[in-house]
């Protein structure tokens, strides 16, 4: 009986995903992993395992090499930068993700961050908690320009929500022109997007070309009143450069759902910077998105074990 490791923290023994996998003739092992994952813990968890349903566990070449039975890895999400794809290919391990599975959740959350930043909601609530009664002006989204960096499923889902608030939307993307559709978006070079946007929202995958793309030179091109939103991957942003830009007034602020190291380290340069708010990687974490991701991940895992993977990335 093939054995499946499940590390995604919201999946539990006896839930519908577990029932689905067991009904497919698989033995399940749950080792919930949150926070910083120790490679040795991963190696131990993968011992004797044929397939794995994972979140953001760092499946490095070293870890994968010590899991000789492993044949299939399925991410219960979209990004797969925590997995060494090339090493998995060399070792004969198929890797799948679930493209677009939480796009609506991420889009709604992005608008939530935009509203929170525009109306200074966190500042107001923390001020009241501290005994004050903050009354500074906020800003309306209507008439503002939103710049989207990347045009995958989540970014596309943001567009109608932003336009419903009366925002103009511009985008920088590598998606070919013929595949973009007609969503009322103006596509511009990255430098122009930085210059014209009141809010810049990151939706690109983490690759060698996007790692650190928001550096000091990028922030220098942005409006001093602009706000950065990141629901993609933390490493797309140079965090020290961001902290410096906000602290010195180069840009107005940032709302970050993702950071380079999660949970946020105590010595992070993002801590203690007025105008930067860090959230705990919640964009895709709705009850609906979690259920959909769990079931779709289980279905992809079963299909992959049978040689019918639909969303393989390697």
């Amino acid at each position: 009986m093939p054995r499946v490791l499940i590390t995604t923290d919201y999946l539990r023994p006896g839930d519908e995903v577990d029932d689905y996998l067991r009904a497919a003739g698989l033995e399940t092992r749950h080792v919930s992993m949150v926070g910083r994952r120790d490679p040795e813990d991963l190696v131990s968890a993968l011992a004797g395992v044929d397939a794995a349903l994972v979140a953001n566990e760092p499946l490095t070449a070293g870890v994968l090499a010590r899991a000789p039975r492993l044949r299939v890895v399925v991410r219960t999400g979209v990004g797969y930068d925590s997995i060494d794809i090339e090493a998995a290919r060399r070792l004969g391990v198929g890797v799948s993700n679930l493209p677009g599975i939480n796009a609506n959740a991420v889009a709604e959350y992005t608008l939530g961050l935009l509203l929170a930043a525009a109306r200074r909601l966190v500042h107001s609530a923390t001020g009241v908690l501290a005994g004050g009664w903050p009354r500074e002006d906020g800003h309306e989204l209507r008439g503002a320009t939103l710049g989207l960096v990347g045009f995958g499923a989540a970014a596309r889902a943001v567009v109608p929500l932003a336009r419903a608030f009366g925002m103009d939307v511009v985008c920088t993307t590598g998606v070919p022109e013929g595949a973009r559709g007609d969503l009322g978006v103006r596509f511009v070079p990255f430098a122009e997007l930085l210059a014209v946007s009141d809010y810049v929202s990151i939706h690109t995958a983490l690759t060698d070309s996007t790692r650190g793309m928001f550096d000091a030179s990028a922030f220098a091109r942005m409006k001093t009143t602009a706000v950065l939103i990141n629901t993609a991957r933390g490493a797309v942003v140079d965090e020290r450069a961001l902290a410096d830009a906000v602290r010195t007034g180069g840009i107005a602020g940032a709302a970050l759902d993702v950071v380079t190291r999660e949970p946020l380290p105590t010595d992070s340069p993002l801590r203690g910077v007025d105008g930067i708010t860090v959230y705990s990687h919640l964009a895709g974490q709705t009850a609906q998105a979690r259920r959909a991701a769990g079931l779709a991940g289980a279905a992809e895992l079963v299909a992959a074990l049978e040689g019918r993977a639909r969303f393989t990335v390697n």
Side-chain angles (χ1 to χ4, degrees), residues 52-122:
L53 196 59
V54 303
N56 288 315
E57 283 66 60
L59 296 177
T60 63
V63 169
L64 291 169
R66 296 169 67 187
R69 278 184 53 174
L70 188 66
R71 291 188 285 140
V72 169
V73 173
V74 177
R75 267 281 289 116
T76 50
V78 179
Y80 50 87
D81 48 275
S82 61
I83 304 171
D84 190 324
I85 298 299
E86 179 58 26
R89 185 195 63 78
R90 289 196 309 269
L91 293 165
V93 179
V95 179
S96 294
N97 71 337
L98 304 176
I101 195 67
N102 57 11
N104 185 71
V106 173
E108 290 185 2
Y109 189 87
T110 299
L111 262 292
L113 296 187
L114 286 170
L115 286 167
R119 301 305 298 270
R120 296 172 60 82
L121 299 184
V122 173

Side-chain angles (χ1 to χ4, degrees), residues 20 36 46 48 72 87 119 155 164 192 213 230 246 249 260 264 274 278 288:
Y20 180 97
R36 297 190 181 94
L46 287 165
V72 169
R119 301 305 298 270
E192 182 178 346
M213 71 182 295
N230 190 6
V246 175
T260 301
L264 188 68
D274 187 26
V278 179
Q288 295 91 333

Side-chain angles (χ1 to χ4, degrees), residues 163-188:
R163 290 182 62 80
F165 275 89
M167 303 185 81
D168 296 319
V169 183
V170 298
C171 179
T172 292
T173 181
V175 174
E177 186 173 349
R180 294 172 183 173
D182 183 15
L183 296 176
V185 176
R186 184 164 63 93
F187 293 91
V188 299

Side-chain angles (χ1 to χ4, degrees), residues 22-68:
R22 288 180 177 274
L26 305 176
E27 177 186 342
T28 58
R29 174 195 294 174
H30 286 75
V31 181
S32 180
M33 293 190 178
V34 294
R36 297 190 181 94
R37 286 80 164 183
D38 187 321
E40 290 303 316
D41 290 341
L42 275 172
V43 170
S44 296
L46 287 165
V49 163
D50 300 279
L53 196 59
V54 303
N56 288 315
E57 283 66 60
L59 296 177
T60 63
V63 169
L64 291 169
R66 296 169 67 187

